């Protein structure tokens, strides 16, 4: 069910690839008009395809009264994207100099109070803000793919970032049904990607050594720990695994194993052509001929099922979804 909105809110997006397309969908589905700059001539087609998948996922996810969908317009420059925006989200390639010049140009065109979020997976906000006018309004707002379904966004201030900018970003992201995790200090890779990279590094090592195929790496997660992680994370999982003795008992049993060679930490497998070919071939076989859009729909169906299951428990991401739906209903009641 859609309702009419009086004044349209408007955001600027810089970059419309996997992540920028996901932001476009999350903002548009929440009633924002979106001005998106991406120099790739295929940007409109790609963003439209992500939007179609996002609409499909949200139709299945929630019956709460969403605002009428915003319009997504592809614009010709970063300045144009920022000129009329109340908030700007940058999702250009993970390259410091591209991001810095883009943010600098957009910041000159935006009003002085317009807050900027960068989707960077691990670059430090202190570097990204250094060429901007009013650098105090930049935060990292690091989302997770698919941006339109996963609630987490890591909010990380740089050395010049103001508390007001952090609070504004938190407010915008929360209004989109997201769960901001505000970090106190910047660190390369933030929190989530440091955890994910440790796993990714080990996965590549296991494939490189011929211990497991890419499919077996995925099976090792999705039939076991992956099911727990969606609700319990890793620390609470181990607290429970300690039984009645709790974390202290767990550490007594498995703490010593941290000294044993069970993981590689900073030991990176050499990314030889042979290894890249093997991973590529095994990944294609794993996909079974499905296109990326078909795989996204399969992933989205599974995520919707998990989110709805968690909503019935009111826990973890299920609590975020329930709170968001309640706020949509309240907004709808106030408007009618
Ligand atoms: N893919 C992920 O899972 C993921 C998750 C979280 C964060 N991120 C971060 O999001 C950002 C974007 O990643 P992605 O995966 O969407 O990459 P992508 O390659 O899918 O998209 C990048 C887009 O930026 C566009 N672009 C290139 N130069 C540009 C410029 N000067 N101005 C505006 N747009 C430009 C490209 O045409 C492309 O469409 C990166 O910082 C990445 O680290 C990625």
């Amino acid at each position: 069910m859609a309702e009419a909105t009086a004044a349209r809110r408007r955001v600027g997006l810089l970059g419309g690839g996997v992540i920028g397309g996901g932001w476009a969908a999350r903002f548009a589905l929440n009633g924002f008009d979106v001005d998106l700059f991406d120099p790739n001539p295929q940007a409109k087609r790609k963003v439209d395809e992500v939007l179609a998948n996002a609409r499909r996922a949200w139709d299945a996810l929630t019956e709460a009264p969403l605002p009428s969908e915003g319009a997504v317009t592809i614009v010709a420059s970063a300045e144009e994207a920022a000129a009329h925006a109340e908030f700007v989200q940058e999702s250009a390639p993970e390259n410091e100099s591209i991001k810095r010049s883009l943010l600098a140009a957009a910041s000159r065109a935006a009003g002085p109070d317009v807050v900027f979020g960068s989707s960077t997976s691990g670059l430090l906000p202190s570097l990204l803000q250094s060429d901007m006018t009013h650098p105090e309004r930049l935060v990292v707002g690091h989302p997770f793919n698919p941006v339109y379904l996963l609630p987490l966004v890591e909010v990380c201030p740089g050395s010049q970032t103001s508390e007001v900018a952090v609070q504004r970003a938190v407010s915008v992201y929360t209004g989109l049904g997201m769960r901001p995790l505000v970090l106190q200090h910047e660190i390369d890779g933030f929190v989530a990607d440091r955890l994910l990279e440790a796993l990714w590094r080990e996965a590549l090592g296991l494939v490189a050594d011929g211990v497991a195929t890419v499919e077996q790496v995925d099976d090792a997660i999705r039939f076991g720990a992956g099911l727990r992680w969606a609700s319990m994370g890793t620390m609470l999982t181990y607290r429970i695994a300690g039984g009645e003795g709790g974390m202290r008992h767990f550490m007594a049993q498995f703490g010593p194993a941290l000294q044993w060679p069970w993981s590689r930490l900073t030991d990176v497998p050499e990314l030889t052509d042979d290894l890249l070919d093997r991973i590529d071939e095994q990944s294609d076989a794993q996909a079974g001929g499905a296109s990326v859009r078909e795989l996204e729909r399969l992933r989205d169906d599974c995520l919707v099922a998990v989110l709805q299951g968690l909503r019935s428990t009111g826990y973890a991401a299920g609590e975020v979804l329930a709170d968001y739906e309640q706020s949509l209903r309240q907004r709808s009641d106030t408007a009618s």
Side-chain angles (χ1 to χ4, degrees):
M1 188 173 55
E3 88 196 33
T5 43
R8 279 282 183 200
R9 299 180 70 183
R10 199 156 166 186
V11 292
L13 300 185
L14 309 173
V18 172
I19 295 303
W23 279 117
R26 196 177 263 278
F27 275 111
L29 288 167
N30 276 284
F32 285 78
D33 286 336
V34 174
D35 291 329
L36 185 152
F37 168 61
D38 189 311
N40 185 332
Q42 298 290 318
K44 172 141 181 55
R45 176 187 61 76
K46 289 188 185 181
V47 169
D48 283 349
E49 287 181 10
V50 174
L51 250 171
N53 272 358
R55 277 187 209 110
R56 175 184 172 278
W58 277 47
D59 269 355
L61 179 68
T62 184
E63 292 179 354
L66 291 166
S68 60
E69 190 177 309
V72 178
T73 308
I74 308 291
V75 298
S77 66
E79 289 84 345
E80 213 181 317
H84 308 288
E86 67 170 81
F87 183 84
V88 176
Q89 182 78 30
E90 171 276 313
S91 312
E94 191 74 347
N95 173 303
E96 186 187 322
S97 77
I98 293 178
K99 285 183 186 291
R100 276 173 72 157
S101 59
L102 200 54
L103 287 164
S107 71
R108 288 191 289 273
D113 295 336
V114 173
V115 170
F116 282 65
S118 169
S119 300
T120 178
S121 297
L123 298 173
L124 297 179
S126 292
L127 298 174
L128 298 180
Q129 69 192 164
S130 45
D131 304 325
M132 291 174 66
T133 61
H134 295 289
E136 71 282 354
R137 63 218 169 122
L138 177 104
V139 300
V140 162
H142 173 221
F144 294 80
N145 190 34
V147 178
Y148 53 83
L149 279 180
L150 295 190
L152 180 64
V153 54
E154 290 182 298
V155 175
C156 182
S159 55
Q160 300 186 66
T161 306
S162 69
E163 182 56 28
V164 172
V166 170
Q167 290 316 319
R168 285 226 191 106
V170 164
S171 162
V172 168
Y173 295 140
T174 305
L176 299 173
M178 299 182 87
R179 171 62 177 254
L181 181 71
V182 180
L183 309 185
Q184 304 310 321
H185 301 290
E186 60 185 344
I187 179 171
D188 299 288
F190 318 121
V191 172
D193 274 353
R194 294 180 81 89
L195 297 171
L196 292 176
E197 192 183 280
L199 184 65
W200 169 231
R201 193 187 296 275
E202 191 58 41
L204 289 175
L206 291 166
V207 176
D209 292 350
V211 174
T213 64
V214 298
E215 175 106 14
Q216 287 175 318
V217 165
D218 285 348
D219 287 351
I221 293 170
R222 63 183 153 207
F223 296 124
L227 289 169
R228 287 191 312 229
W229 282 336
S231 54
M232 298 285 131
T234 193
M235 300 305 256
L236 192 51
T237 281
Y238 290 147
R239 167 72 180 74
I240 295 167
E244 291 180 10
M247 200 52 136
R248 198 162 286 281
H249 175 66
F250 185 83
M251 292 305 285
Q253 189 164 202
F254 293 106
L258 294 171
Q259 306 290 338
W260 304 341
W262 278 14
S263 65
R264 261 159 256 254
L265 295 179
T266 57
D267 175 12
V268 188
E270 195 185 340
L271 300 180
T272 61
D273 286 345
D274 177 54
L275 176 59
L276 294 174
D277 286 348
R278 196 162 7 131
I279 292 175
D280 197 39
E281 280 161 25
Q282 290 183 2
S283 291
D284 283 350
Q286 188 183 24
S291 73
V292 69
R293 298 296 170 226
E294 287 167 336
L295 289 172
E296 285 171 356
R297 287 193 281 276
L298 172 63
R299 174 203 62 195
D300 290 356
D301 288 346
C302 295
L303 285 172
V304 166
V306 171
L307 288 166
Q308 289 180 332
L310 288 172
R311 181 178 53 193
S312 71
T313 68
Y315 193 61
E319 184 184 18
V320 179
L321 177 57
D323 287 350
Y324 172 61
E325 289 178 318
Q326 197 185 347
S327 75
L328 287 173
R329 287 190 194 98
Q330 278 167 355
R331 260 183 262 170
S332 169
D333 288 349
T334 312
S336 59

